[in-house]
Amino acid sequence: MKDFPRCDATAAWAALGGHFEAHGRDLDLREAFARDPARFERFAFEAPELFCDLSKNRLDAATLHFLVDLARECGVEAQRDAMLAGEAINLTEGRAVLHTALRAPPGTAPFSDEVQATRETMLAFAEAVRARAEGGARPLRHVVNIGIGGSDLGPQMAVAALAPFAHPQLALHFVSNVDGHDIASVLGRVAPAETLFIVASKTFTTQETMANAATAKAWFLAGGGSDVAAHFVAATTNVEAAARFGITRTFGFRDWVGGRYSLWSSIGLPIAIAVGAAGFRELLAGAHAMDEHFARTPVEKNLPILLGLLDVWYRNFHGYTSRSVAPYHHGLKRLPAYLQQLEMESNGKRVDREGRELAYATSPVVWGEPGTNGQHAYFQMLHQGSETIPVEFILVKESDAQAGGDSAVREALARQQRMLLANGLAQSQALMLGRSTAEALAEQPQAPAGAAISAATLAAHRTFPGNRPSTTLVLERLTPRSLGALIALYEHRVFTAGAVWGIDSFDQWGVELGKGLGNALLARLEESGAAAGPLDGSTAGLLARLRP
Ligand code: F6P
């Protein structure tokens, strides 16, 4: 791939710096709306399956103009095209990055025949599992996915999100943590004869997954199970290691599928089992529609690119260190955790592609909880804390919540959906508008009985600075298709920010050091391995306390 200038050496970066000093830092959202009655329409964007309101962000037309220039100077489009064409853009691992090929129609992307064939085998198996839940002497009731990171978070998030579309007789469980409490709690609720285990690991070497799989196998055999091959399958690139474990049915994929981008591959087997082959195809179709938008829409209207650029604007010019995600749909409760890996493992880097230390910040911290729960936890800080944290609201217009056919219950649930949406809207409104001290005083609140506090002091506590930025994404309904589009939107947004920053968004060397040290300390805890070499004082002291 062609070299592009470092983002901080471009003319657009300098222009953005000047623009920030002159207009950006002090941009007041209330004034901006007062000045421009068309601000909402000006910053409204459409992409497949979703609408995005950027108008409550601290930007104006000039900001977008300079950000678009930045994308062009940094070669975001050329880097995107290189990724889609299968160039080895994951430089440090010498790999292509082709999760988009997993959702492309036949014949339109690299490795098409192989992708289609692998997917058909996986989907046929998913349908067979669903059929085994419906009949027979010993029907299947439970599917336990054993994996971690990308082999857990994506499928787990999607299965939760698509619960209303899931097979009613099959319970999906996810085990990831090496902490035995995780698998023990699942094994306590299932029986060997009615359980299918999926060992999901790209490498089939990950410590946590191997330990949990071994425990599951021991439990299965101890509980009277004998046919490991019938109750354990694998999703992996390492067929030989799976075979050594005793697994004969393996669903493969290639090394050009990154772990955190792998839910579209065989790693998506739990999703396919939950929602069926047709549902899984819908998920892929939604993602592909977003891929097409990303590949073909001019930067000015290209939503994933604009969101990635907004991340750069906030991180590098405003200096915001984190972004909060607030999905107002309980099914998206695992979305923040999924996005943490997607964004922070991808863009949490401190050197550029050539290994030179960066002079600018990269990934923000990404965190959040579903609305309205977050409102009763940390929204206090978002509204009145000393830092500004941009918030991303995800609103889903229609609800699929059901609890039987009773009309009174249906109306109660419909009202709850209206309450949910009103809450989401109110939070973004409150963040932007705030409440001035004059307004707080004018409300003349009564001091609590017995509190020795003046009206002015109380008003200071009840003042909200406002002007706190937020983005609102709106989906009509959370379906396999719209979920696919939403996830692909985030994938390409992360790509865009990484492309501007000039980093390798597809490796993850940062998890290696801890893994190696963990193995060495395990040997010391078990006093089995070569306990060579001195330890630092803290680790030695803690080890002595923890040794059995
Ligand atoms: O945390 C590091 C990591 O390599 C992730 O990138 C990956 O998703 C996870 O471990 C699991 O890896 P595997 O699928 O090989 O078990």
Side-chain angles (χ1 to χ4, degrees), residues 147-151 200-206 209 253 258-260 262 267 341 345 508 511-512 515:
I148 196 164
S151 301
S201 175
K202 179 173 171 178
T203 55
F204 222 84
T205 58
T206 304
T209 303
F253 56 105
R260 52 197 176 272
S262 64
I267 292 290
Q341 186 194 16
E345 198 171 78
Q508 54 284 316
V511 294
E512 293 299 323
K515 271 191 203 172

